[in-house]
Structures are given as C-alpha cells and as structure tokens.
Amino acid sequence: MEIFTLLDTLEDILEEAKNIPFSSKGIIDKEQLMDIIKEIRLKLPDELKQAKWVKEERQRIIVEAQKEADNIVKEAENRIISMIDEHEITRKAYDQKTEIIETANEMSREISKGTKEYADSLLANTEEVMKETLDRLGTNMTEALNLMQIALEDTIKTIQNSRKELE
C-alpha cells in the first residue's frame, strides 16, 4: 500500500535527520515532510470513501430486501384471495404465505447481518491501518507530524463511532 511506503519515507527522513547538539531533536526539511504528509492525506480518503460506500450499500441492500419481502407478501396475499373458495387450498395458501414471509424475513436478516459484518470488517481494517500509522509515527516529531497524529486520531474516532452505529 502506498501509504506504508510514504510512512517508511517519513521514518527514513526522521532517522537520517542531523541531530541538534545536546538534544534529541533533529534538523529536517520541512517542505519535504509537508509534501509527504499531503500525499498521505490524498491516499487516506479512498479507504474512508470505501467505508462510506459500504454503509450506503448496506442501506440499499436492506431497502431492496424489504421491497422484495413486501412483494413476496403481496404475492402470497393475492394467491390466498384467489384460492379462498376451496378449504384445503386456502389452508395450504396460508401455510405457504407464512413460509414465504419467514423465508423473506430470514433472507433480510442474513443480508443485513452480512452487510454489517462486511462494513465492520472494512472499518476494522481501516482502523488498524490508522493505528499502525500512529504507532510508526512515534512521539518525537515536528509540529507538522503532531498535527497529522491528531488528524489520524480524529479519523480513528470517527471510524469507531461509525462502527458503533452499525451495531
């Protein structure tokens, strides 16, 4: 993933920075670091867009499954009305209606569960990437890197909140 390459480059720059005598601080090319940070920012939204897409897709699937369930129920009701004259046929129609409704509801639950698991998985992966990014950045950074760390932490919180909404 390109983000990891950029993070490795940041790490290399920090490791190669000349130390200021009698301190743990180093001299770095601020412009070079800012360029790399901008590139990282450009790469991050893809994962966030993907998470948003998953959430929207989940909602679309749930709506579609509900429409399908409604159509199945209407179809079952229409069948029952047309067969109402004969007692045995009527009983079978009621049984079939119940079975169709249960099947539709079960399909809807399975689709919803699968969508939630998929969205949670993507969000968990994105959260893990963010956490790994923070771990690699460390604590001895310039002010620009500290701002990036804050931005990443905010993004992780947003992802965690999105995951909680899925529950």
Side-chain angles (χ1 to χ4, degrees):
M1 181 171 224
E2 291 180 34
I3 292 175
F4 291 117
T5 305
L6 293 169
L7 290 172
D8 289 340
T9 303
L10 276 176
E11 215 170 46
D12 292 343
I13 290 169
L14 289 173
E15 287 175 1
E16 293 171 4
K18 294 181 182 179
N19 285 338
I20 296 174
F22 306 110
S23 79
S24 62
K25 296 183 181 193
I27 298 173
I28 56 170
D29 183 353
K30 181 178 178 181
E31 188 174 317
Q32 184 182 17
L33 285 180
M34 291 303 288
D35 288 343
I36 293 171
I37 291 170
K38 285 177 187 175
E39 277 190 62
I40 289 173
R41 283 193 179 130
L42 290 173
K43 304 297 180 200
L44 290 178
D46 289 341
E47 279 107 11
L48 298 177
K49 286 178 187 176
Q50 188 177 16
K52 181 182 178 200
W53 176 85
V54 168
K55 183 178 179 184
E56 290 170 354
E57 186 67 10
R58 173 190 163 269
Q59 187 61 35
R60 185 192 65 76
I61 289 170
I62 289 171
V63 167
E64 190 175 298
Q66 186 60 49
K67 285 180 184 177
E68 187 175 332
D70 291 344
N71 287 339
I72 290 170
V73 169
K74 285 179 185 176
E75 183 180 321
E77 288 172 350
N78 289 338
R79 279 181 156 179
I80 289 170
I81 290 170
S82 68
M83 295 185 216
I84 204 153
D85 293 335
E86 299 176 35
H87 178 68
E88 183 64 23
I89 294 173
T90 303
R91 185 185 58 75
K92 287 181 181 179
Y94 276 81
D95 292 344
Q96 187 177 11
K97 172 190 170 191
T98 303
E99 183 179 325
I100 290 171
I101 291 171
E102 288 173 4
T103 302
N105 287 335
E106 182 61 31
M107 285 174 52
S108 176
R109 283 190 293 274
E110 287 178 17
I111 289 171
S112 178
K113 180 183 175 186
T115 303
K116 284 180 182 180
E117 289 172 357
Y118 180 67
D120 186 59
S121 172
L122 282 178
L123 289 170
N125 286 339
T126 303
E127 180 181 355
E128 189 61 36
V129 167
M130 296 294 182
K131 286 181 179 179
E132 287 175 11
T133 300
L134 281 176
D135 290 342
R136 286 180 172 224
L137 290 177
T139 55
N140 294 328
M141 292 181 229
T142 64
E143 182 178 337
L145 291 176
N146 286 333
L147 291 174
M148 182 179 167
Q149 182 177 3
I150 291 168
L152 288 172
E153 288 171 346
D154 288 344
T155 303
I156 289 171
K157 287 178 186 174
T158 301
I159 289 169
Q160 289 171 337
N161 288 338
S162 295
R163 288 182 72 199
K164 286 180 184 174
E165 287 180 22
L166 288 174
E167 298 173 359

